[in-house]
Amino acid sequence: MTETAQLIDNDFLRQFELNVENEMAIIEYSLQERKIFLTKMVIPDTIRTEEFELEFIDLVFSNIKERNISVVPTSPEIAKFVRRNRKYKRMLPVGIRI
């Protein structure tokens, strides 16, 4: 579902956006120094599936990894994603455990 959509980092609204089937999925963030706090995820019910959720979060983490900054997942859904995907645990700041 996310193959044709392009992830947008809307730094004015401090959110990652993915427009799929005329619906907007977002992950809100707060950027402080070399850390990005992922604070809230909103996916409309019309496009919400577990597969879509995982693909969307994976796209966001890939974008953050390219910038070489640490991630602090404060949203419960995103923290759960990190627990399930060990490869992203190394993106957490020193001292943060999920």
Side-chain angles (χ1 to χ4, degrees), residues 60-77:
V60 170
F61 270 76
S62 295
N63 180 286
I64 294 168
K65 188 175 185 178
E66 289 174 9
R67 297 197 229 171
N68 198 27
I69 56 178
S70 298
V71 177
V72 181
T74 59
S75 164
E77 302 99 334

